[in-house]
Amino acid sequence: TEYAEFLHCKGRKFTDFDEVRQEIEVETDRITGVNKGISSIPINLRIYSPHVLSLTLIDLPGITKVPVGDQPPDIEQQIRDMIMQFISRENCLILAVTPANTDLANSDALKLAKEVDPQGLRTIGVITKLDLMDEGTDAREILENKLLPLRRGYIGVVNRSQKDIDGKKDIKAALLAERKFFLSHPAYRHMADRMGTPYLQKVLNQQLTNHIRDTLPAFRSKLQGQLLSIEHEVEVYKNFRPEDPTRKTKALLQMVQQFSVDFEKRIEGSGDQVDTLELSGGAKINRIFHERFPFELVKMEFNEKELRREISYAIKNIHGIRQVLPRLFTPDMAFEAIVKKQIVKLKGPCLKSVDLVMQELINTVKKCTKKLATYPRLCEETERIVAGYIREREEKTKDQVLLLIDIQVSYINTNHEDFIGFANAQQRSSQVNKSAVGNQVIRKGWLTINNIGIMKGGSKEYWFVLTAESLSWYKDDE
């Protein structure tokens, strides 16, 4: 006997297929509304009959380009996502249905199938509306797999027209008409035994059986792997005691260790999640040392006129009542007094760099504790303890930096190889400036220049590079 069952009407058997059609329409309207709405919820229908082969068929909608009725503005993307959800599955075959009276190269079905099945291992082409082609044209090249070849080929079918459906033309008569069309058409006569709905059913059944046979071993091993994994989990949880203190201690240690690993990765630069929006962690600290610190040094106010006046007063004060002789070198004491005063100026930029590094370390700690957010108290305590330790080290670091500057101030070594006397000063100053300072990049990045006269008040972005002795700008960062 032939009958049908719906998943949403459990226990009810439909023997009249007109009622089945009506139920599909009613259920569609119930889920999507009566004005051409859409839904990704499938209607599950199972048909039992001695005249059909065992197949599971998912009927997907065609791509709608322009929304009508109650359809949303992004209808095309929604339908595309819905189709992809089904055809991406490796264990299904794809029936790419294309009307014969349209250009095959523009087929949405073939395009989508190629995206998920580039090798064509799961795609079967179906050409419909062969009887509606213009006179003098045919789809022979397509059906012979010559125009756009598919590994599994194409099968042509002739379905009932809307007029036939309205006129209650039954399926048997439709299949006979289809058979007659292929046998009588000069372009398809030689391949009539490989065309039509019965042949398509047979091919699908055969290919699906083969496909299941091919995918079954991998499917079986995957299931076995999952089963073993679940059994292992069951064993673990069988003796699970949530209040066991050792379990809590172990979990706590694991979270603390994870925090430690995350913090180290963010500083070392080998993290799992790479930030593409801004510099952070070790990269930002690197920038503070190599770009921000030199920038702060260059930014220090240096008034040459004032320095010359200080040198003059220092020399005169050291000579006291004695007359200053301009022909002699600058006295050592005057030189030391001026140099020490300049070295002390380094304290500001050095301490500022320590503050910037410390702030970035605190930010890194906050980012790493986000993974502990499930346990607010643990998160808070971890952040407090680590941040407190960093602040302790900050004080010691500042003391070391100030000590280092005091060491430099306490003894000026004029025998050092980097120190040049008056005799070679002029000769070497230009070379040293160019090699040691000129190539040092202090800052680089994009800047927008507004209201330029030659640009008629417009604005433009340039890539700027600031070095210790020059400022350059380019069209792009290459």
Side-chain angles (χ1 to χ4, degrees):
T1 55
E2 282 188 320
Y3 66 95
E5 286 180 342
F6 284 98
L7 191 63
H8 64 271
C9 299
K10 284 184 180 176
R12 183 181 169 189
K13 290 185 180 181
F14 292 80
T15 52
D16 184 351
F17 281 84
D18 284 329
E19 284 185 27
V20 172
R21 293 186 192 95
Q22 192 178 347
E23 182 59 35
I24 292 171
E25 288 175 12
V26 169
E27 183 65 9
T28 302
D29 291 345
R30 191 181 68 79
I31 295 173
T32 65
V34 293
N35 199 8
K36 300 186 183 300
I38 64 159
S39 169
S40 58
I41 302 167
I43 297 173
N44 289 273
L45 167 66
R46 181 168 286 189
I47 296 170
Y48 299 85
S49 169
H51 307 300
V52 295
L53 294 163
S54 294
L55 281 175
T56 302
L57 186 71
I58 301 167
D59 181 25
L60 296 168
I63 298 261
T64 300
K65 305 285 184 184
V66 181
V68 294
D70 292 334
Q71 291 174 346
D74 61 338
I75 181 77
E76 184 179 354
Q77 189 59 44
Q78 282 196 27
I79 292 178
R80 182 187 167 86
D81 292 344
M82 190 197 305
I83 292 169
M84 284 296 191
Q85 181 186 336
F86 287 98
I87 66 174
S88 300
R89 299 172 187 171
E90 288 293 327
N91 59 341
C92 76
L93 293 176
I94 303 166
L95 273 187
V97 182
T98 309
N101 56 357
T102 61
D103 187 0
L104 195 66
N106 296 328
S107 169
D108 287 324
L110 284 173
K111 183 185 173 188
L112 290 173
K114 202 162 184 66
E115 283 183 34
V116 295
D117 181 31
Q119 302 297 322
L121 300 173
R122 302 187 285 120
T123 307
I124 301 169
V126 177
I127 307 298
T128 62
K129 300 186 181 177
L130 290 164
D131 55 330
L132 300 181
M133 292 186 77
D134 293 338
E135 199 172 333
T137 62
D138 59 61
R140 182 172 172 174
E141 276 199 340
I142 299 170
L143 295 173
E144 287 179 347
N145 209 16
K146 291 178 181 174
L147 188 64
L148 277 172
L150 280 179
R151 189 171 293 198
R152 295 179 183 261
Y154 294 86
I155 297 168
V157 295
V158 177
N159 295 323
R160 294 178 300 169
S161 65
Q162 191 59 46
K163 185 182 174 184
D164 292 337
I165 295 168
D166 294 339
K168 307 286 184 185
K169 184 177 181 179
D170 67 9
I171 300 293
K172 284 181 182 176
L175 292 177
L176 284 171
E178 181 186 51
R179 180 76 178 153
K180 185 179 176 184
F181 172 81
F182 284 115
L183 287 170
S184 60
H185 198 290
Y188 311 129
R189 196 182 296 149
H190 66 290
M191 57 174 103
D193 58 328
R194 289 181 284 112
M195 294 292 124
T197 308
Y199 181 74
L200 176 61
Q201 287 179 324
K202 185 182 171 185
V203 167
L204 279 178
N205 180 258
Q206 187 181 0
Q207 298 215 13
L208 193 61
T209 305
N210 293 341
H211 191 65
I212 289 168
R213 192 183 293 120
D214 293 340
T215 54
L216 204 57
F219 191 57
R220 186 187 288 116
S221 61
K222 184 182 174 185
L223 278 175
Q224 284 173 342
Q226 287 179 337
L227 183 65
L228 285 170
S229 172
I230 290 167
E231 283 176 350
H232 179 69
E233 266 191 74
V234 168
E235 284 298 317
V236 171
Y237 288 116
K238 196 182 285 181
N239 304 315
F240 178 72
R241 296 198 310 278
E243 295 305 317
D244 186 358
T246 58
R247 185 173 290 281
K248 288 182 180 179
T249 307
K250 187 179 178 182
L252 180 67
L253 279 172
Q254 282 177 341
M255 283 187 278
V256 171
Q257 283 172 346
Q258 186 60 47
F259 168 82
S260 172
V261 169
D262 288 347
F263 185 82
E264 189 177 342
K265 280 183 176 179
R266 282 183 181 271
I267 299 299
E268 292 295 327
S270 58
D272 303 328
Q273 295 178 338
V274 179
D275 191 346
T276 57
L277 300 174
E278 61 177 1
L279 287 181
S280 62
K284 195 161 185 179
I285 292 170
N286 182 299
R287 184 178 179 177
I288 291 167
F289 286 145
H290 294 98
E291 289 185 30
R292 187 67 190 266
F293 182 57
F295 177 68
E296 292 295 330
L297 292 179
V298 171
K299 215 169 68 171
M300 282 196 306
E301 291 184 6
F302 176 78
N303 188 329
E304 190 176 343
K305 188 176 178 183
E306 182 70 22
L307 183 62
R308 286 181 182 278
R309 190 172 61 78
E310 286 181 9
I311 292 170
S312 171
Y313 284 157
I315 292 170
K316 286 174 183 176
N317 284 328
I318 281 165
H319 280 86
I321 199 170
R322 295 184 302 280
Q323 186 181 351
V324 179
L325 299 175
R327 296 185 303 278
L328 298 178
F329 291 118
T330 305
D332 288 352
M333 288 175 69
F335 170 76
E336 282 195 18
I338 297 298
V339 168
K340 285 177 181 178
K341 194 173 180 183
Q342 297 303 314
I343 291 173
V344 168
K345 285 184 179 180
L346 292 172
K347 286 184 179 181
C350 290
L351 293 177
K352 187 170 183 178
S353 295
V354 173
D355 287 336
L356 290 169
V357 171
M358 200 274 297
Q359 187 58 49
E360 185 51 37
L361 288 172
I362 298 291
N363 289 341
T364 305
V365 170
K366 287 179 179 176
K367 287 176 182 175
C368 291
T369 52
K370 280 182 181 177
K371 285 188 178 178
L372 308 175
T374 320
Y375 304 94
R377 183 77 190 279
L378 176 64
C379 181
E380 189 183 317
E381 280 299 294
T382 305
E383 199 173 307
R384 183 185 66 77
I385 291 167
V386 179
Y389 181 77
I390 290 172
R391 288 195 174 92
E392 279 178 30
R393 310 312 295 173
E394 177 199 8
E395 291 305 316
K396 292 186 178 180
T397 305
K398 283 183 175 177
D399 290 344
Q400 282 296 108
V401 169
L402 294 174
L403 178 62
L404 191 61
I405 291 172
D406 289 342
I407 289 168
Q408 298 297 328
V409 169
S410 66
Y411 182 71
I412 307 297
N413 179 16
T414 54
N415 286 326
H416 195 275
E417 59 183 16
D418 288 347
F419 183 83
I420 52 170
F422 181 77
N424 299 323
Q426 286 183 323
Q427 181 184 346
R428 291 182 57 188
S429 64
S430 58
Q431 297 172 358
V432 171
N433 281 343
K434 284 178 183 176
S435 61
V437 181
N439 293 332
Q440 186 175 354
V441 176
I442 295 165
R443 201 70 162 203
K444 56 186 175 182
W446 290 100
L447 281 177
T448 305
I449 300 184
N450 296 297
N451 300 322
I452 304 174
I454 57 168
M455 293 174 60
K456 298 178 182 176
S459 64
K460 193 170 182 183
E461 279 199 338
Y462 287 95
W463 178 261
F464 278 82
V465 179
L466 173 67
T467 65
E469 68 171 22
S470 68
L471 175 66
S472 314
W473 58 95
Y474 308 90
K475 286 183 180 179
D476 55 50
D477 55 355
E478 294 295 319

